């Protein structure tokens, strides 16, 4: 999974010498959100955990003041697009 994370984060230098290094043309950076199954067994922990993950990614990509902090769908879409 770390290989996929690094690829989607656009970390080209880690793939030097591998087939994909020269095949990938753009090496765009995408937000990568890792979810651990262990954190989601309790319903009460789901929303706070998702909120923290989204806040971290929003800070990382310079997104401030989401219109509706409880609208996770809109926040995730804003990160991806």
């Amino acid at each position: 999974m770390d290989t996929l994370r690094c690829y989607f984060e656009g970390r080209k230098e880690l793939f030097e010498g591998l087939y994909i290094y020269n095949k990938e043309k753009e090496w765009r950076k995408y937000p990568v959100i890792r979810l651990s199954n262990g954190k989601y067994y309790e319903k009460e922990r789901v929303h706070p955990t998702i909120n923290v993950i989204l806040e971290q990614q929003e800070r990382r990509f310079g997104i401030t003041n989401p219109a509706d902090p409880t609208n996770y769908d809109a926040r995730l879409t804003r990160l991806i697009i």
Side-chain angles (χ1 to χ4, degrees):
M1 290 312 224
D2 284 335
T3 303
L4 288 174
R5 177 179 54 86
C6 292
Y7 173 78
F8 284 107
E9 288 178 343
R11 298 172 63 185
K12 180 180 180 178
E13 70 281 359
L14 298 177
F15 295 90
E16 190 170 352
L18 300 176
Y19 176 82
I20 196 167
Y21 184 81
N22 292 320
K23 294 299 175 187
E24 182 62 59
K25 304 295 184 208
E26 293 186 34
W27 287 98
R28 293 180 56 190
K29 293 182 179 182
Y30 296 94
V32 176
I33 298 173
R34 295 180 81 175
L35 300 174
S36 170
N37 291 339
K39 292 183 181 180
Y40 304 105
Y41 290 126
E42 299 174 23
K43 182 180 176 183
E44 298 79 25
R45 295 181 69 184
V46 173
H47 289 281
T49 302
I50 291 174
N51 189 53
V52 167
I53 291 169
L54 290 174
E55 284 176 349
Q56 291 169 344
Q57 294 300 321
E58 288 164 342
R59 276 194 305 274
R60 181 175 172 209
F61 287 92
I63 297 172
T64 57
N65 303 323
D68 181 2
T70 61
N71 187 340
Y72 301 132
D73 181 49
R75 290 172 68 190
L76 186 57
T77 300
R78 188 171 177 191
L79 277 169
I80 293 171
I81 295 178

